[in-house]
């Protein structure tokens, strides 16, 4: 009989990620326009881009998703901590002190042969939109537009149901909490659970084995925020974040999980 090969988790809840967070003013989408800091924002205009960038924290370098990029001065968080900090259903943010606009994440795993024998599968749940890079090459994207993107490109907007209760006007209650507050996240009222769930976008993506190299490999996630497109209360929920992530391969295909790599010494001929 033919038996299916066993699955191997390469990146999971205990995996450390290097993290670059970008903050900026609250951005709203209304009547086909973007509004920020009380004025219209036109990301197709170089001067508008420059003015907006001056109001944001520094962006990651252009080559941040590359295999050889030095991320040693970036923050380091395990997956479960990172997901808590990102705020289950968006958490809460004070727009007066800035909102999350972009999350750049890097994690490593290994390949012990000349190449892995099977494609990899990325299971990810997130807020906003995501671009996925493997060793510097884009291999997937979800909830962002097709074509060339730049540092100002946004995620697809959220539906009205992600913002309000069933009456169509009352904002959903803010779900505060998380490790940064010292309190657990509040759980949604069951009658609105499906509305909060609309904030979390999920994907199961196939990553091609042709992009893998022998030795150290880097998975990079570029999470983009969506402009606010619905009714908010006093606080806003973050429109970008990581809810869960898992990278899996096949045992015996030449891939080495991050956990396994910590137990053994590998010498890569690179």
């Amino acid at each position: 009989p033919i038996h299916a090969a066993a699955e191997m988790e390469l990146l999971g809840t205990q995996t450390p990620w290097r993290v670059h967070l970008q903050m900026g003013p609250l951005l709203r989408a209304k009547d086909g326009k973007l509004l920020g800091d009380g004025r219209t924002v036109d990301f197709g205009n170089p001067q508008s881009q420059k003015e907006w960038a001056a109001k944001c924290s520094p962006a990651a370098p252009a080559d941040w998703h590359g295999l050889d990029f030095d991320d040693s001065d970036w923050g380091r968080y395990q997956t479960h901590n990172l997901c808590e900090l990102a705020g289950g259903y968006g958490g809460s943010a004070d727009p007066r002190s800035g909102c999350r606009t972009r999350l750049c994440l890097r994690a490593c795993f290994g390949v012990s042969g000349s190449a892995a024998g099977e494609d990899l599968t990325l299971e990810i749940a997130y807020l906003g939109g995501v671009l996925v890079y493997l060793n510097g090459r884009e291999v997937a994207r979800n909830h962002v537009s097709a074509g060339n993107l730049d540092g100002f490109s946004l995620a697809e907007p959220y539906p009205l149901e992600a913002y309000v209760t069933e009456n169509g006007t009352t904002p959903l209650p803010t779900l505060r909490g998380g490790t940064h507050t010292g309190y657990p996240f509040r759980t949604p009222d069951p009658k609105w659970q499906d509305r909060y769930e609309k904030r979390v976008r999920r994907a199961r993506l196939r990553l091609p084995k042709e992009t893998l190299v022998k030795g150290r490999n880097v998975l990079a996630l570029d999470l983009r925020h969506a402009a606010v497109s619905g009714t908010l209360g006093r606080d806003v929920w973050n429109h970008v974040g990581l809810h869960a992530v898992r990278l899996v391969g096949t045992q015996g295909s030449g891939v080495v999980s991050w956990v396994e790599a910590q137990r053994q010494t590998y010498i890569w001929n690179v």
Side-chain angles (χ1 to χ4, degrees):
I2 299 176
H3 299 283
E7 181 181 87
M8 172 188 288
E9 184 175 84
L10 304 179
L11 304 176
T13 58
Q14 300 301 314
T15 302
W17 293 79
R18 291 292 185 175
V19 181
H20 182 280
L21 170 64
Q22 189 172 17
M23 303 286 290
L26 179 69
L27 191 66
R28 291 182 178 271
K30 186 176 182 180
D31 300 328
K33 296 181 179 180
L34 293 175
L35 304 174
D37 255 10
R39 59 190 300 179
T40 300
V41 180
D42 179 9
F43 287 140
N45 182 300
Q47 182 60 31
S48 185
Q49 287 186 0
K50 183 177 180 180
E51 292 172 356
W52 187 259
K55 300 175 182 178
C56 300
S57 62
D63 62 344
W64 70 269
H65 42 63
L67 177 61
D68 299 321
F69 176 75
D70 181 5
D71 59 14
S72 58
D73 61 346
W74 285 19
R76 187 174 184 267
Y77 298 88
Q78 287 183 313
T79 304
H80 67 95
N81 294 132
L82 182 58
C83 292
E84 289 178 351
L85 288 169
Y89 292 104
S92 64
D94 184 348
R96 295 171 297 180
S97 57
C99 302
R100 297 181 187 134
T101 61
R102 190 178 180 186
L103 269 172
C104 299
L105 312 177
R106 291 169 52 90
C108 300
F109 62 95
V111 172
S112 60
S114 59
E118 302 287 344
D119 292 344
L120 306 181
T121 300
L122 177 67
E123 300 168 354
I124 183 169
Y126 54 92
L127 289 85
V130 64
L131 293 94
V132 182
Y133 295 88
L134 195 50
N135 297 324
R137 174 184 165 187
E138 184 187 334
V139 292
R141 63 172 66 181
N142 233 36
H143 292 103
V144 292
S145 61
N148 294 328
L149 302 180
D150 57 28
F152 301 96
S153 300
L154 302 172
E156 296 173 2
Y158 278 98
L160 180 62
E161 292 83 0
Y163 294 91
V164 296
T165 63
E166 64 277 4
N167 66 19
T169 57
T170 303
L172 289 167
T174 300
L175 300 178
R176 296 184 179 88
T179 53
H180 61 297
T181 67
Y183 298 94
F185 285 119
R186 287 176 53 195
T187 55
D189 188 312
K191 65 183 176 183
W192 296 320
Q193 179 74 41
D194 61 333
R195 292 177 177 263
Y196 285 101
E197 283 292 334
K198 291 184 182 297
R199 300 178 181 181
V200 181
R201 293 163 165 174
R202 305 175 191 275
R204 182 180 173 89
L205 306 169
R206 185 71 65 181
L207 308 187
K209 61 184 179 181
E210 291 78 15
T211 54
L212 299 173
V213 297
K214 182 180 179 181
R216 173 177 170 269
N217 286 253
V218 173
L219 177 70
L221 305 177
D222 185 351
L223 292 156
R224 305 296 187 97
H225 75 127
V228 174
S229 56
T231 304
L232 296 172
R234 183 184 64 180
D235 294 332
V236 305
W237 49 277
N238 289 292
H239 284 51
V240 64
L242 185 67
H243 193 79
V245 63
R246 183 170 178 258
L247 181 68
V248 297
T250 303
Q251 288 186 6
S253 64
V255 290
V256 180
S257 70
W258 180 85
V259 172
E260 182 63 23
Q262 305 314 299
R263 300 190 184 122
Q264 302 183 35
T265 299
Y266 288 87
I267 300 176
W268 312 115
N269 293 320
V270 295

